[in-house]
Amino acid sequence: MKKNYVIEAENLSKIYAGVVPVKAVDEVNLQIQDNEFTAIVGPSGSGKSTLLNMIGGLDRPTSGTIKVNDILLNGMTDNQLINFRLHHIGFVFQSFNLIPVLTAKENAEFIMLLQKVPLQQREKRVMSLLKEVGLDDKLDSRPSQLSGGQQQRVAVARALASKPDFVLADEPTANLDSKSAFNLLDIMARLNQEEGITFIFSTHDQRVIDRARRVITLEDGKIVSDEIR
Amino acid sequence: MLLKLAWRNLWRNKRRTLITLASIFFAVILSTFMVSLKEGFYKGMIDSMVGAFTGYAQIHATGYWADKTLENSFEFNDSLAYRLKNANGLSSYAPRVESFALAASSEITRGTMVVGIDPKKEMLHTDLQDRVIEGEYLQEKDQGALLGEALAKYLKVGVGDTLVLLGQGYHGASAAGKYPIKGIVKFGSPELSKQLVFLSLQATQKLFDVEGRLTNLILLPDQKSETDELVQSLQSSIGNGYEVMAWQELTPEIINMMETEKMEGYVFMFILYMVISFGIFATILMMMAERMHEFGVLVAVGMKRINLAMVMILEILSISILGAFLGMLGALPICLYFYYYPIKLGAELEEMVADYGMEAVLQASISPNIFIQQAIIVGLIGCAIAIYPLWKISRLDAINAMRS
C-alpha cells in the first residue's frame, strides 16, 4: 500500500546559473511522513537551505518535482505559492524575524490575521500557543524587550498558529545560547510528540542533531546518508 | 491590521519621521501662504477692476460686445424685467447706455466713452461714488457730468466748467449736448481715467436719442464666486436675443495678466512640491532599504505582496496627509493674520498697483479652497510616490530579500 507522505521530492535539482553553473541540489529523492522530527545536516554549501527553500515553496527547482500532501508545487504561480505557504507551512528562521513593531501576541497572531481567522478563534489559539511556549506572561512585549530564546519561541508560536502541515526551521538554534537552545528544542520535541507536528530542521547544531529522530545528511547537493533512529 | 502595522512602522524611526513631517509641514505652510497671498492679490485686482467699472457680469443685446454701437442697444421691456426679478442668485442690476462721443472744452477735443448711469443703482455695483475726488456725485435725472481725472486734465476743465459732447445717436441721429462738470473721478486704470464721461441715464438717453433703450445691464450676483452659474442660468432664461457675459469675458486683460502671474507662481510652487516629493521619497527609499529583509520574511510566511505594498502605501499616505494637515493648521493663523492685517506695499509697488486701481496692500485670502487644494496636491504627491514601493514589492523575491 502507498504511504501518505507530507513531503515527497523526486529527482529534485537546483542549478544556479552563472559563468560556472552551480548545482546546489542534485537529483534528490526524499519522502517525509507525518509526525517526523527530521534534521537535514551537512557542511556549509551542501545544499541544505536550498533544499529547505524548495520544500517550503520559496524557491523553484530546476528539475524534478515536489509535492506537499500530494499537492504539486512545481506549476504554481508566485501568488499561489504565497497562499500555499500561508495555509500549509510554518517557518522558523535563524534570526527569529519577528515584526519589530508588533507585540509577542500580535506577532503570533499575525499569520492568522492573514488567514482571516475570526477574532475569538484567534485569541484562543494565540493564548494557548504562547502558553505552550512559556510566554503567556510576555504577551505585550515587543521583540526588542525579549531575549533571543524568547523571540525564537514567539517565532515557533507564529509558525504553529496557522496549523501548518509541517514546520520548516532553518538553523533555529544558531543564534541561541545553550540554555535557550535546549529550552526551544524541548518545546519543539514536545509539540512533535504530543501534538504530532512535523518538524524539519536544517542545522549544523549537534544539540539539534542529537534530538532528531531522522537525520538526512547532504554533501554537494546529494543525500549521502538518511538515518532513522 | 495593515493600518496598525503602517502606523507603528512610521514611528520605528521617530527622528526620520519627524524630519519628513517637518519638511512637509513647512513646505505646505509656505505653499499655502504663497497661494493665499496670490489669490488675495487676484481678488483685490478683480474687485478693483470689476468694482470700478465693468461689474461682475453684464447683459447686452446679442452682437453688442462685438460691435458696440447704439444700433445694438435693446429695449428694457417688462418680460426682461420679470425674468431678472425671478433670476436665482441675482442680487441686483443697474442699467447703462454706453456710446462714444467727442468731448470738447473751449480749446481741446477728445474721443470719449459716455456712460449713462442710474446714479442710485450704480452705487450698488461699482464704487464710482467713492472715486469722486472733486465736486459731487450725480443725482437721478442729473444734467451734469462726471469726468475721469486724466480726461479733465487733458481738456483743461474743472468742476463748474462746461463740457460739450458731440456724436452720433440712434439710427444716425446727431447727438449734441452741453453739460456742466459736476465732479472729477479718479480711476487707477489710466485707460479709464482718460476716456470716461458719466451722465445720468436720462441725460444720456436723450443725448443719443435712445429713450427706453439700454446698451448694458450691470449684474451683481448674490455670491461673487457663483458669477459663472448666474451667467449660465440667465442666458438660458432670457434667451438668444441677449448675451450674458461674466467679468472674465468682459475684461480679458485681467485674465491674461493673472495667467502670466500664475505661470510664475507655478514655477515657484513646482520647486516647493519637488522639495516635498524628494523629502517623502528619500524617507521611503530608506524605509524600503532598511526593511527589505523583513519584507522577504513577510512574503515567505504568506503575506501577499499586495498587502505588503498596501502597508507601504498607507505609511506614505499617513505621513503625507499628516504633514499636509499639520501644515494647513500651521498656515491658517498666518493667513488669517495677513487677512486682517494686510502687508503694506512699498512706494514703488504702490505706484504700480495704483495703475490698476488697487489699494497698495497685499491681503491674504482665507478661501478654504486654498487649504484643501494644498492637502490634495500633497496627497497626490504621496500617491505618485507610492508607485515606487508598489513596483519594488511586486518584483520582490523572498529569498533574495531575506539575504539582504
Side-chain angles (χ1 to χ4, degrees):
Chain A
M1 196 180 126
K2 193 187 173 221
K3 283 184 179 173
N4 280 330
Y5 296 113
V6 180
I7 297 159
E8 202 175 358
E10 242 177 76
N11 301 322
L12 203 61
S13 293
K14 178 73 186 181
I15 301 167
Y16 289 110
V19 182
V20 182
V22 177
K23 209 164 198 181
V25 174
D26 189 4
E27 300 281 326
V28 165
N29 287 291
L30 173 70
Q31 290 86 30
I32 290 175
Q33 289 182 55
D34 206 12
N35 199 22
E36 281 196 18
F37 201 71
T38 299
I40 299 174
V41 303
S44 292
S46 60
K48 302 186 299 289
S49 293
T50 307
L51 179 61
L52 221 62
N53 286 340
M54 287 193 288
I55 292 171
L58 289 168
D59 208 351
R60 293 173 187 277
T62 310
S63 63
T65 58
I66 181 138
K67 287 180 186 172
V68 171
N69 278 332
D70 271 340
I71 300 168
L72 188 66
L73 302 190
N74 293 58
M76 287 188 183
T77 63
D78 275 2
N79 281 337
Q80 285 171 329
L81 277 173
I82 290 174
N83 202 41
F84 187 81
R85 291 197 296 268
L86 177 64
H87 290 95
H88 296 271
I89 307 172
F91 288 90
V92 177
F93 302 97
Q94 180 179 334
S95 47
F96 327 132
N97 289 332
L98 298 177
I99 302 169
V101 294
L102 299 183
T103 63
K105 179 174 173 271
E106 288 166 340
N107 262 291
E109 203 181 356
F110 185 72
I111 304 287
M112 287 189 285
L113 275 163
L114 296 178
Q115 289 180 320
K116 298 190 169 66
V117 175
L119 178 67
Q120 269 192 325
Q121 261 175 272
R122 236 165 44 213
E123 288 276 325
K124 201 174 155 191
R125 179 145 179 84
V126 84
M127 294 306 285
S128 113
L129 281 167
L130 285 172
K131 195 173 175 190
E132 196 114 38
V133 296
L135 288 174
D136 47 341
D137 58 337
K138 300 280 183 192
L139 298 177
D140 296 322
S141 302
R142 295 254 178 122
S144 58
Q145 298 166 313
L146 299 172
S147 69
Q150 287 170 328
Q151 287 188 55
Q152 198 61 305
R153 281 188 273 155
V154 176
V156 170
R158 178 178 69 180
L160 295 173
S162 63
K163 297 187 177 170
D165 297 344
F166 60 91
V167 174
L168 287 178
D170 188 10
E171 307 270 7
T173 55
N175 287 345
L176 300 182
D177 59 59
S178 288
K179 194 180 164 198
S180 301
F182 279 120
N183 191 341
L184 184 76
L185 285 169
D186 285 343
I187 290 168
M188 293 203 276
R190 195 181 69 239
L191 287 164
N192 171 256
Q193 281 159 16
E194 291 175 6
E195 297 188 21
I197 293 163
T198 307
F199 280 92
I200 302 152
F201 305 91
S202 84
T203 187
H204 284 106
D205 190 341
Q206 196 55 46
R207 295 166 299 195
V208 180
I209 298 168
D210 291 344
R211 298 290 287 267
R213 285 189 278 120
R214 181 180 174 190
V215 179
I216 298 166
T217 309
L218 284 181
E219 262 181 40
D220 298 329
K222 288 177 186 288
I223 295 177
V224 293
S225 77
D226 188 348
E227 179 196 350
I228 294 173
R229 294 160 172 178
Chain B
M1 190 262 295
L2 297 183
L3 192 62
K4 192 202 287 185
L5 201 56
W7 183 249
R8 288 194 193 167
N9 277 330
L10 267 188
W11 300 104
R12 271 163 94 155
N13 189 333
K14 284 195 184 89
R15 190 183 297 175
R16 185 177 58 207
T17 301
L18 287 174
I19 289 172
T20 311
L21 270 179
S23 72
I24 300 172
F25 173 77
F26 287 114
V28 168
I29 286 185
L30 196 56
S31 63
T32 306
F33 182 55
M34 291 299 296
V35 174
S36 164
L37 279 184
K38 272 201 170 296
E39 293 292 323
F41 177 71
Y42 297 149
K43 188 177 173 297
M45 194 190 283
I46 293 162
D47 284 349
S48 61
M49 289 291 277
V50 166
F53 186 63
T54 58
Y56 281 86
Q58 292 188 8
I59 295 175
H60 324 116
T62 302
Y64 173 79
W65 199 247
D67 182 16
K68 293 188 188 78
T69 70
L70 292 168
E71 306 312 312
N72 286 327
S73 60
F74 62 94
E75 197 178 335
F76 187 67
N77 53 34
D78 291 346
S79 161
L80 181 58
Y82 177 79
R83 284 169 204 276
L84 292 175
K85 193 181 169 191
N86 292 300
N88 280 333
L90 178 63
S91 172
S92 65
Y93 58 88
R96 274 190 193 171
V97 170
E98 291 179 8
S99 190
F100 298 96
L102 201 63
S105 61
S106 55
E107 296 171 16
I108 309 164
T109 58
R110 178 164 209 161
T112 60
M113 176 184 255
V114 178
V115 184
I117 57 170
D118 179 326
K120 219 170 179 180
K121 286 186 179 171
E122 188 72 20
M123 281 160 63
L124 296 171
H125 295 258
T126 63
D127 54 359
L128 187 63
Q129 188 188 24
D130 302 332
R131 292 177 179 273
V132 176
I133 52 167
E134 209 181 314
E136 284 174 12
Y137 184 62
L138 298 175
Q139 302 296 317
E140 209 181 342
K141 298 180 182 174
D142 209 313
Q143 293 304 308
L146 297 177
L147 260 70
E149 189 187 16
L151 178 63
K153 209 171 170 184
Y154 182 82
L155 295 175
K156 296 178 184 164
V157 292
V159 174
D161 291 340
T162 301
L163 182 77
V164 176
L165 294 173
L166 289 167
Q168 194 174 46
Y170 190 49
H171 287 339
S174 62
K178 282 199 303 183
Y179 303 90
I181 297 170
K182 206 175 169 193
I184 305 295
V185 189
K186 184 180 174 69
F187 286 104
S189 162
E191 285 303 307
L192 297 180
S193 187
K194 68 186 179 192
Q195 65 172 331
L196 288 183
V197 174
F198 291 92
L199 302 176
S200 68
L201 185 67
Q202 199 193 38
T204 315
Q205 285 174 328
K206 195 176 169 194
L207 171 68
F208 292 118
D209 202 15
V210 284
E211 275 89 355
R213 299 182 73 82
L214 303 173
T215 56
N216 317 38
L217 274 171
I218 313 297
L219 308 176
L220 180 67
D222 285 334
Q223 297 293 328
K224 289 168 185 170
S225 58
E226 289 170 9
T227 303
D228 288 343
E229 288 83 344
L230 174 68
V231 165
Q232 279 172 16
S233 78
L234 268 180
Q235 184 67 73
S236 60
S237 129
I238 63 177
N240 290 334
Y242 301 94
E243 56 191 20
V244 187
M245 296 165 79
W247 64 268
Q248 293 95 323
E249 223 178 326
L250 296 166
T251 54
E253 67 278 6
I254 297 186
I255 300 295
N256 290 340
M257 187 185 161
M258 276 165 57
E259 289 303 321
T260 314
E261 279 276 321
K262 274 183 183 171
M263 282 312 290
E264 290 166 12
Y266 288 150
V267 174
F268 183 77
M269 299 303 284
F270 177 75
I271 294 168
L272 266 180
Y273 292 137
M274 288 303 281
V275 171
I276 298 178
S277 306
F278 278 110
I280 302 173
F281 190 60
T283 304
I284 297 311
L285 274 182
M286 284 188 276
M287 279 162 116
M288 296 277 297
E290 267 175 21
R291 282 156 57 191
M292 205 40 88
H293 176 86
E294 187 181 315
F295 291 165
V297 172
L298 290 171
V299 172
V301 299
M303 188 171 192
K304 286 183 183 136
R305 288 189 181 92
I306 184 75
N307 285 340
L308 192 52
M310 195 55 75
V311 173
M312 283 305 295
I313 290 168
L314 285 171
E315 286 176 35
I316 297 167
L317 290 183
S318 303
I319 201 164
S320 309
I321 291 167
L322 184 64
F325 179 71
L326 293 175
M328 278 163 59
L329 285 186
L332 186 63
I334 298 173
C335 294
L336 277 173
Y337 179 83
F338 287 105
Y339 175 75
Y340 289 112
Y341 304 99
I343 301 166
K344 287 196 169 67
L345 299 177
E348 275 180 31
L349 283 170
E350 193 176 347
E351 261 179 45
M352 195 184 88
V353 296
D355 285 348
Y356 291 96
M358 289 174 66
E359 222 183 322
V361 291
L362 203 48
Q363 184 184 33
S365 167
I366 48 170
S367 160
N369 286 346
I370 296 169
F371 299 89
I372 294 165
Q373 190 187 40
Q374 295 310 307
I376 291 172
I377 291 172
V378 176
L380 289 176
I381 288 173
C383 290
I385 291 172
I387 294 170
Y388 175 74
L390 201 65
W391 172 75
K392 193 88 179 158
I393 289 169
S394 72
R395 294 158 52 97
L396 183 131
D397 176 77
I399 293 178
N400 285 336
M402 279 195 288
R403 281 187 192 132
S404 65

